[in-house]
Structures are given as structure tokens and as C-alpha cells.
């Protein structure tokens, strides 16, 4: 017995079609008009849209960072993702200093073991490129990990120098692997931070003031140039501002294989939010920092015209009031000064709904482009397509039955992320997942959780994926 989803409108990156869809086991078996239903479970999707499950390629579950751990683990974070219509994500396994890349991968597999309830993959973040570690880069392909990441910021913690960045990128490129970068000039940020603290500027707003957009633009331009020299594909994560967009566009105009993502929060939260009274601004501290409404306008334009390829979340939640009632320490660590605030914001649950509300309903792009940015491009760029990222015969039946009429007001009181605040608190969206299927099984039905811990699969991804 299979499952037939009847009377829905199927939206892919390329098409909008009214058709039924048959699921056999974990895959889509047939798409067509008036499919026979005898012997099958039937789901009526009249008035609903069928979207491929969302893919969030930038998340940090249970990340040791800023003197604590991000507060969602592989169960709570993935369950929250599912409630929001995301059925796959890729998290960053961090190489321990002095350790191997494989050790980082093993640590992350342990975090997910027995907890995962949607499908997931890993990128590996290189923090310590010793000669023997260079040889490990191509070996990651056998682990199903064809993407590496380097941080150009977080001096003394995760930051690497240009030699490390260039060598890693060149090695990865030789083997069909993709290099990702966090592009901010960490050396300059360290100088600006020390100067601000010396002046007694300790409030959350100074997090943004000490990481100006030009510092992101400079690092983006440098990474793009190095990718051009190496002839290696590059993906710039969490791009926030005009200066960075200009550098990416310059590289693409020169024919360099470079791509970029932005994250949901940069479209809605601005630098001024970090200046809210008291310590409130700490809720919005992440890196790169929130920018201006003009930058957000440029990002919307770049998503619409293809200058940017993906929207992810950089989900890295911390408690606002942590360290109490069994909670991990959180943002309160930075009450003494902004440089001690754990960097990161929650968002894995909200990406699809807020981007639909403002991207599609707001007239920035079509429903097809929405699917492309949220699912298809992530799958193509990161070696998952066409198993994930589309609704086609043979693809995994990761399906969001999307109700374009349903309104919902986002709140920490009702969200499923393991945090005590939501950066979109009070935002009313229209368009919400009615039902979410992972490999043919319903894991979310309205407000009901039907998934199970341990049922998520590790995604062994392919190298030589698309440069878009
Ligand atoms: O503030 C952020 N973005 N925290 C997570 C780590 C990173 O830089 O992606
Ligand atoms: Zn980053
Ligand atoms: Zn990140």
C-alpha cells in the first residue's frame, strides 16, 4: 500500500502543476492526473500546495561556542525544523584544535546518534591545518562530506589565515569539493573590539559597531579573489550587505565559480535592534551582525535576480536567560561586555514561513523561486540533487503540504526551538505547513508531532555538485 496525495498543486523550481502524487515506500513513484487510489492511503490536498521539503544548509546544533553550547540538540533542533517545513539540514562538524578532521566528524555523528528525526549531513570546519590534515581533506568524500568551511573571523578561536584558506580551497577544488567561508576580517574586528572596550563601550550595540559592513566586504572580496586564483568553487555563507554583494558579483562577472547565501534574519532584523533598551539587543547578536534596511533591500534584490543562490538560517540558538532552571548558559554571559555575548540566533523553524510571507506574498519572487532558494539550489550545490530538493519520480518523498491561506503568529510561546525567545516574535505570516512528510512518512500533522528520535538518516553527499 502506498500513499496518494490528491488534488494538490505541485510547485517545483521549474513548474507549477495540478497533479496527484503517489508515494511508494520512501520515494515518489508517480506524478499524474487522476491517479488511482485503490489500496492506497489518500491525503486530500485540495487548496494546498505541495513543496519539496526545505533544506537548511547552515545550522549549528549543540555547537560549543562563546563559553557555552548552542541550546538545540539534534532532536529539539530537527523537530523544530520539521514543524517549519524543513526536512533536511547540513550542520558544521568542527575540527578540534590539535585533532583530525575525522575526529570532528565522529564527534558530530555522536551528537546526532539516536536523536536525529529528519535527514542531515555535515560540512567540516577546518581550524588547524597541519600537513597531515591536508591529506584528510579528500578523504572526507568517503565520509559523504564533500564540503569544507573556513572562518576568516573569530580570532584566536576558529579563525584561519589566508595561507590556510588558500591551501584548503585549492586542495578541495582539485577533488571536486566545495569550500565555504565565513567572510569577515577577524584581525580588524579584534582591533576595533579592543578599542571599543577601552572606551568603555560594552553594550550589545557595539557588537555591530565593531564589525562594520566594509570589513565583511573586504573579506568577501579576498575569498572570492583566492577562489579565482585557485580555480576552486567557493560558497560565501551568511552574506549581509551591499559591500559583500558587490564583491561576489564582481567575482561572478569574471567567471569565478563563486556563490553566496544570505540568512533569514538579515532580511528582518537591523542594527538598530541591537540598541534596544537594557540588554534586549543581545537577542540579536550574531556574526556578521544585523545591518540596515537598505542592505536588506539589496539582499531581496539579489535573491530575486540570481546574484544569491540560497537562503539558510545559521541557526545557532542560545537562551536569553540561561544558566537557570537546568538551562545552559546563554546570552547573559555578555552582560559584562558585548564581546562575551554568545554569537548566534535561532531560526531553523521560521525560515520557510517568513520567507514565504515576505518573499512570495510580498512580491519579491515567485513560489517557484522560493522553492529554488529554500530547497532545490541547496540540494544541487551540496550534492543531494535529485534525491532531495525537488518533487520528481524517484526522489525522496520529502513533501510539505503547504496551506497558503493559513495565518500564524510567530511566538516563543508556541515555537518548538529550545530557546526562550524568538527574533520574529509577534510577526504574523500567511502560508504554513499543514502536513510534513519525510521519506513518505508523516512527521508533522498540524500541531501534532508524529516523528521519532533516531529515524533521521545521515546524508552521504556527492562531490562535483553544481556551481550555480
Ligand atoms: O553568530 C553566528 N553566526 N554564530 C554561529 C557561528 C557562525 O559564525 O556561523
Ligand atoms: Zn559564521
Ligand atoms: Zn554559522
Amino acid at each position: 500500500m502506498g500513499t496518494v496525495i490528491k488534488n494538490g498543486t505541485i510547485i517545483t523550481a521549474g513548474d507549477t502543476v495540478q497533479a496527484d502524487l503517489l508515494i511508494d515506500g520512501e520515494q515518489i513513484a508517480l506524478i499524474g492526473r487522476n491517479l488511482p487510489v485503490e489500496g492506497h492511503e489518500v491525503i486530500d490536498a485540495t487548496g494546498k500546495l505541495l513543496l519539496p521539503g526545505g533544506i537548511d544548509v547552515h545550522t549549528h546544533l549543540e555547537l560549543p561556542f562563546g563559553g557555552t553550547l548552542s541550546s538545540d540538540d539534534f532532536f529539539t533542533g530537527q523537530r523544530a525544523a520539521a514543524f517549519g517545513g524543513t526536512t533536511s539540514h547540513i550542520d558544521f562538524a568542527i575540527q578540534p584544535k590539535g585533532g583530525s578532521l575525522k575526529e570532528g566528524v565522529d564527534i558530530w555523528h555522536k551528537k546526532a546518534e539516536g536523536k536525529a528525526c529528519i535527514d542531515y549531513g555535515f560540512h567540516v570546519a577546518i581550524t588547524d591545518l597541519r600537513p597531515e590534515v591536508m591529506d584528510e581533506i579528500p578523504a572526507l568524500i568517503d565520509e559523504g562530506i564533500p564540503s569544507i568551511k573556513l572562518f576568516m573571523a573569530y580570532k584566536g578561536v576558529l579563525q584561519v589565515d589566508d595561507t590556510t584558506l588558500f591551501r584548503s580551497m585549492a586542495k578541495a577544488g582539485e577533488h571536486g569539493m566545495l569550500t565555504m567561508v565565513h567572510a569577515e576580517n577577524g584581525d580588524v574586528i579584534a582591533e576595533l573590539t579592543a578599542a571599543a572596550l577601552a572606551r568603555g563601550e560594552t553594550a550589545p550595540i557595539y557588537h555591530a559597531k565593531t564589525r562594520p559592513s566594509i570589513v565583511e566586504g573586504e573579506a568577501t572580496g579576498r575569498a572570492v579573489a583566492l577562489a579565482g586564483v585557485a580555480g576552486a568553487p567557493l560558497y560565501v555563507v551568511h552574506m549581509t550587505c551591499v559591500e559583500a554583494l558587490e564583491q561576489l558579483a564582481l567575482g561572478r562577472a569574471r567567471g569565478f565559480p563563486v556563490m553566496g547565501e544570505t540568512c533569514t534574519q538579515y532580511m528582518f532584523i537591523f542594527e538598530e535592534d541591537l540598541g534596544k533598551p537594557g540588554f534586549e539587543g543581545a537577542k540579536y547578536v550574531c556574526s556578521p551582525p544585523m545591518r540596515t534596511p537598505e542592505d536588506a533591500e539589496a539582499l531581496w534584490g539579489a535573491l530575486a535576480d540570481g546574484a544569491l543562490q540560497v537562503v539558510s538560517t545559521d541557526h545557532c540558538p542560545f537562551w536569553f536567560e540561561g544558566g537557570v532552571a537546568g538551562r545552559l548558559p546563554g546570552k547573559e554571559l555578555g552582560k559584562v561586555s558585548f564581546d562575551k555575548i554568545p554569537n548566534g540566533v535561532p531560526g531553523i523553524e521560521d525560515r520557510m514561513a517568513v520567507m514565504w510571507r515576505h518573499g512570495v506574498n510580498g512580491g519579491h519572487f515567485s513560489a517557484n523561486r522560493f522553492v529554488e532558494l529554500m530547497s532545490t539550489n541547496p540540494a544541487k550545490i551540496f550534492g543531494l540533487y535529485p534525491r532531495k530538493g525537488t518533487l520528481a519520480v524517484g526522489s525522496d518523498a520529502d513533501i510539505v503540504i503547504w496551506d497558503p491561506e493559513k495565518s500564524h503568529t510567530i511566538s516563543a510561546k508556541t515555537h518548538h526551538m529550545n530557546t526562550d525567545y524568538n527574533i520574529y516574535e509577534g510577526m504574523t505570516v500567511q502560508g504554513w505547513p499543514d502536513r510534513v512528510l519525510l521519506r513518505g512518512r508523516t512527521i508533522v500533522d498540524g500541531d501534532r508531532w508524529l516523528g521519532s528520535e533516531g529515524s533521521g538518516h545521515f546524508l552521504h553527499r556527492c562531490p562535483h555538485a553544481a556551481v550555480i
Side-chain angles (χ1 to χ4, degrees), residues 323-379:
V324 291
R327 294 175 180 175
L328 290 161
K331 296 282 185 182
E332 77 289 347
L333 291 172
K335 280 191 171 157
V336 51
S337 60
F338 70 87
D339 59 319
K340 304 283 189 305
I341 302 171
N343 286 199
V345 294
I348 201 167
E349 187 167 357
D350 305 312
R351 180 183 68 127
M352 300 280 276
V354 301
M355 290 306 290
W356 181 276
R357 159 70 185 84
H358 293 272
V360 180
N361 297 347
H364 287 288
F365 42 70
S366 66
N368 308 91
R369 179 67 180 157
F370 171 87
V371 166
E372 193 163 48
L373 291 164
M374 301 290 154
S375 182
T376 312
N377 280 352

Side-chain angles (χ1 to χ4, degrees), residues 58-60 92 149 151 237-238 314:
H58 186 161
T59 64
H60 301 282
F92 291 89
K149 155 101 172 270
F151 290 89
V237 301
H238 50 40
D314 193 10

Side-chain angles (χ1 to χ4, degrees), residues 374-390:
M374 301 290 154
S375 182
T376 312
N377 280 352
K380 286 183 175 172
I381 293 169
F382 290 96
L384 289 170
Y385 191 82
R387 175 175 164 199
K388 306 282 189 192
T390 192

Side-chain angles (χ1 to χ4, degrees), residues 28 39 51 55 67 74-75 104 124 136 139 143 150 170 224 228 288 320 332 345-346 372 401 404 444 460:
I28 297 169
L51 313 178
I55 303 176
F74 271 77
F75 176 60
V124 166
E136 272 197 280
E143 302 282 330
L150 295 114
V224 165
F320 183 56
E332 77 289 347
V345 294
E372 193 163 48
I401 303 182
V444 171
H460 201 278

Side-chain angles (χ1 to χ4, degrees), residues 58 60 63 65 92 149 151 154 158 182 184 207 237-238 265-266 285-288 314-316 318 342-345:
H58 186 161
H60 301 282
L63 173 73
F65 201 47
F92 291 89
K149 155 101 172 270
F151 290 89
Y154 304 128
L158 296 169
H182 171 136
E184 284 186 296
H207 173 76
V237 301
H238 50 40
Q265 54 272 22
Y266 298 113
V285 164
C286 62
S287 296
D314 193 10
H315 176 74
C316 188
F318 297 99
N343 286 199
V345 294

